[in-house]
Amino acid sequence: MKILVINSGSSSIKYQLFDMVKEIVVAKGGIQRIGIDNSFLEHETHDGKETRIDRDIPDHGEGIKLLIDVLLDKEYGVISNIDEIDAVGHRVLHGGEKFTESVIIDKEVEKTIEEYCDLGPLHNPHNLTGIRVCKKILPGKPQVAVFDTSFHTTMPPKAFLYALPFEYYEKYKVKRYGFHGTSHRYVSRRCAQLMDKPYEELKIISCHLGNGASIAAVANGKCIDTSMGLTPLEGLVMGTRCGDIDPAIIKFIMEKEGISIEEMDKIMNKKSGLLGISGISNDSRDVSEAAKNGNKRAQMALELFDYRIVKYIGAYIAAMGGADAIVFTAGIGENQWETRENIIEQLGFLGIKLDKEANKVRGEEKEISTPDSKIRVFVIPTNEELMIARDTMALIS
Ligand code: ADP
């Protein structure tokens, strides 16, 4: 059983082909700069063969054709016939209120994903293009949509409603949706396995800290709150996003600077966060390096980043009436041990104890708290693609 997982962005497509018998990735790669100059595909196989193809790739259709050709290639390929691909799993950003779990894509599902394009304008249209192109190139193969939002649809109204006039929720479905759901679902489930306890009996705080960052409170196997909102802009300090701010700042800055709402939106999404405060980079490695060399703004940026996480963890422990485990994942969560140390030390008053040596791990699954810690702490590398492949497999079986 082989499943192709597709993550289709505005000018990129990432792919992984899974052999579900052993749950291994037989090949993976990515296409970049679709529709721009210098487009290319990078591909690697399970047994270490790598290739790069530089070619004009004008649209997603050509991109997906090319990646299938590479999967079939005599030298770099891993399948001999297109029929070896049993199904395709697609990452879809926004599933609105309707999609509470992954679904097999039919005409109706496609239409609803299209309707949610206004909620996820930067992603849903491209996710949809990926789905439509795959349907043409792999006719008759089941296609499954796995949504970033669906894990969070279990939140109660007190967590998902904004205190705006209720009519905006009724008319436009303005509410907290939350994102990174596939990642929070994967790491929180994996955490329960590592603790050898039933998922439904645990209170877990999942910290997905990458360029985009969010936290989820998972109580008794269900998400009860998360830091991202209607869009991925709310919540934590991120690489280039501001996260929580006083909404009145928007009008204030727009008037002072004489800028449009589009420009303001761009400032909050692309020019804020670690980049905005440090003035150096959105990449935490660059900011850390500068902070170590004494750059004050870089130091402040990291302090803000960690402090916001500490506040959210505190709030979610209160919301759940306690916590059994905290999980760190994604680029920063998996790799930046200094960030984890700084966060956990600030939570020491709760009886959480970090094993400082165990914490000096990068990109490895590991428990990093001491045996007497009141709340257990784990590093769990995320695997959204595997989760998509598993959902796809479950739905087509
Ligand atoms: P996204 O998927 O949201 O683009 P990632 O999960 O790849 O983001 O995380 C990107 C962040 O992770 C960057 O800030 C980067 O500095 C950090 N990061 C990635 N790898 C490492 C590493 N090996 N050591 C330290 N930081 C890392």
Side-chain angles (χ1 to χ4, degrees), residues 14 91 180 208-213 239 274 282-286 329-338 362-363 382 384:
K14 290 188 207 138
R91 180 182 185 186
H180 294 140
H208 178 111
L209 311 178
N211 198 26
L274 290 178
N282 65 305
D283 192 302
S284 67
R285 285 168 286 200
D286 302 336
T329 195
I332 298 172
E334 290 166 26
N335 296 296
Q336 293 275 21
W337 62 265
E338 297 94 335
R362 285 187 196 273
T382 194
E384 289 155 290

Side-chain angles (χ1 to χ4, degrees), residues 4-15:
L4 179 62
V5 172
I6 296 276
N7 184 352
S8 185
S10 60
S11 62
S12 70
I13 301 170
K14 290 188 207 138
Y15 64 91

